[in-house]
């Protein structure tokens, strides 16, 4: 056998080993795949049907249909989210992001609404609909205000968000609604202070009670609780002998709410001590009302 022929056979032998090894691995893989749900070859050649892109306007209109006709905001929100997923940089995605926030709000999924609306305001701060997105954030917090006996952290968040609407979009159609909700939220915080103040009054801890009623008088003068707060201040100050502040509280109450039943109580209390309601202009009580133009 010639040296040339021996060299050729050696090359074939050398090259054949990895070829046989590769063939064996493929056959082994095919054999193993037969134990599963289908052959390996089918898996390689099968068409991937897991993602079918649909036109953005079609998805958007389907979301509107589910929202308006079917009254199914949860299903609608999924359609709107799909627009953003499939067409993330389109104008339809911008519209759908706001509509998904609206759908979440209507389904009572407030946290998702806040998330979507916050994303909208962040991505599209100059949009004509940014005011509405900001309002949805505020309304979502407002609708979760808890009972007055519980922690009022959510109320404080609502107030901050509502003030943001009024500050950023004072001429928008949502500003007036935000102002009305803001008064409701502030009334809630004032009510919480009154509840705690009354508790301290029952315990005869007049200093602690005064601090609570003082908060109502200085921070929440426009709420429905301020009349009682002034009367309670009159009572607490009379109890600890600081009659000047008691007289001022009664006088401010009578000046601003002359027909209030709380004024009658405060007036009678001061009179029972041989005094008359008399306003000290330097008192924090007087200054708080002067600041608002109520004194």
């Amino acid at each position: 056998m010639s040296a040339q022929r021996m060299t050729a056979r050696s090359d074939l032998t050398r090259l054949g080993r990895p070829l046989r090894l590769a063939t064996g691995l493929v056959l082994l893989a095919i054999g193993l795949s037969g134990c599963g749900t289908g052959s390996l070859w089918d898996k390689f050649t099968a068409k991937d049907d897991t993602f079918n892109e649909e036109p953005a306007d079609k998805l958007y209109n389907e979301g509107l249909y589910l929202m308006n006709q079917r009254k199914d905001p949860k299903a609608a929100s999924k359609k709107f989210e799909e627009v953003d997923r499939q067409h993330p940089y389109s104008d339809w995605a911008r519209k759908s992001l706001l509509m998904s926030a609206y759908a979440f709000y209507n389904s009572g999924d407030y946290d998702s609404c806040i998330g979507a609306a916050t994303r909208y305001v962040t991505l599209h701060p100059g949009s004509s609909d940014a005011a509405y997105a900001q309002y949805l954030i505020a309304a979502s917090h407002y609708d979760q205000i808890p009972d007055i006996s519980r922690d009022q952290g959510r109320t404080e968040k609502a107030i901050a968000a509502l003030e943001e609407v009024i500050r950023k979009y004072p001429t928008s159609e949502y500003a007036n609604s935000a102002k009305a909700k803001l008064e409701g939220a502030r009334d809630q915080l004032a009510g919480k202070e009154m509840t705690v103040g009354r508790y301290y009054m029952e315990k005869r801890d007049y200093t602690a009670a005064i601090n609570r009623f003082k908060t109502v008088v200085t921070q929440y003068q426009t709420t429905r609780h301020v009349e009682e707060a002034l009367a309670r201040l009159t009572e607490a100050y009379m109890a600890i002998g600081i009659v000047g502040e008691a007289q001022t509280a009664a006088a401010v109450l009578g000046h601003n709410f002359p027909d209030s039943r709380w004024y009658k109580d405060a007036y009678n209390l001061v009179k029972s001590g041989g005094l008359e309601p008399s306003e000290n202009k330097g008192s924090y009580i007087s200054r708080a009302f002067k600041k608002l133009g109520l004194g």
Side-chain angles (χ1 to χ4, degrees):
M1 182 180 295
S2 67
Q4 184 178 6
R5 182 175 299 175
M6 290 180 65
T7 300
R9 179 176 298 174
S10 176
D11 289 343
L12 286 172
T13 301
R14 178 169 54 82
L15 294 172
R17 285 175 182 170
L19 180 62
R20 288 195 300 272
L21 178 60
T23 303
L25 288 173
V26 170
L27 291 174
L28 177 61
I30 292 173
L32 289 174
S33 69
C35 300
T37 58
S39 70
L40 181 64
W41 183 255
D42 289 339
K43 293 180 180 179
F44 279 134
T45 59
K47 183 179 179 181
D48 184 5
D49 292 327
T50 58
F51 179 74
N52 293 315
E53 185 175 294
E54 296 184 73
D57 59 335
K58 178 176 180 292
L59 289 168
Y60 182 82
N61 288 325
E62 287 176 353
L64 289 181
Y65 171 77
L66 290 168
M67 172 67 71
N68 298 325
Q69 270 67 50
R70 296 291 298 274
K71 308 298 182 185
D72 191 348
K74 287 186 178 181
S77 65
K78 292 180 180 179
K79 287 291 181 180
F80 294 131
E81 287 186 309
E82 195 63 22
V83 175
D84 188 41
R85 188 177 75 86
Q86 294 189 25
H87 310 275
Y89 304 109
S90 66
D91 192 48
W92 289 107
R94 179 183 62 79
K95 295 177 181 178
S96 293
L97 182 56
L98 184 63
M99 287 304 299
S100 65
Y102 175 69
F104 283 132
Y105 178 77
N106 276 273
S107 65
D109 188 351
Y110 297 119
D111 288 341
S112 293
C113 174
I114 291 169
T118 300
R119 184 166 169 244
Y120 185 94
V121 172
T122 302
L123 293 175
H124 313 287
S127 166
S128 59
D129 292 320
Y132 182 58
Q134 188 68 52
Y135 179 76
L136 283 176
I137 295 170
S140 293
H141 284 302
Y142 182 83
D143 286 0
Q144 295 182 85
I145 288 178
D147 180 82
I148 203 169
S149 63
R150 300 176 62 186
D151 178 76
Q152 296 300 306
R154 182 69 74 173
T155 309
E156 292 172 352
K157 289 182 179 180
I159 287 175
L162 290 163
E163 288 177 338
E164 190 80 351
V165 175
I166 297 166
R167 183 182 66 83
K168 281 188 173 181
Y169 313 101
T171 61
S172 72
E173 60 185 298
Y174 310 107
N176 286 336
S177 180
K179 289 177 182 177
K181 281 183 167 56
L182 181 59
E183 282 303 306
R186 288 169 57 80
D187 192 88
Q188 181 81 352
L189 290 186
K192 178 70 173 182
E193 295 293 330
M194 293 300 299
T195 298
V196 178
R198 292 188 206 102
Y199 168 80
Y200 285 129
M201 288 291 284
E202 291 176 0
K203 298 294 183 181
R204 298 183 183 276
D205 187 347
Y206 297 114
T207 301
I210 285 170
N211 287 334
R212 295 294 180 162
F213 301 136
K214 179 179 179 179
T215 297
V216 176
V217 167
T218 57
Q219 297 183 29
Y220 306 114
Q221 304 99 319
T222 59
T223 69
R224 62 191 171 94
H225 298 284
V226 73
E227 297 176 36
E228 181 184 355
L230 287 166
R232 297 289 185 182
L233 283 174
T234 303
E235 180 183 354
Y237 279 126
M238 287 292 289
I240 60 177
I242 304 180
V243 295
E245 290 289 58
Q247 288 175 285
T248 296
V252 170
L253 177 55
H255 180 71
N256 290 280
F257 311 99
D259 298 324
S260 170
R261 71 178 182 87
W262 291 108
Y263 174 58
K264 294 176 182 179
D265 292 343
Y267 179 82
N268 290 333
L269 186 59
V270 171
K271 289 288 287 183
S272 68
L275 304 168
E276 292 285 341
S278 178
E279 183 176 357
N280 175 7
K281 300 292 185 180
S283 168
Y284 74 87
I285 301 171
S286 182
R287 294 197 308 270
F289 279 80
K290 290 291 185 185
K291 186 177 179 181
L292 290 182
L294 298 177

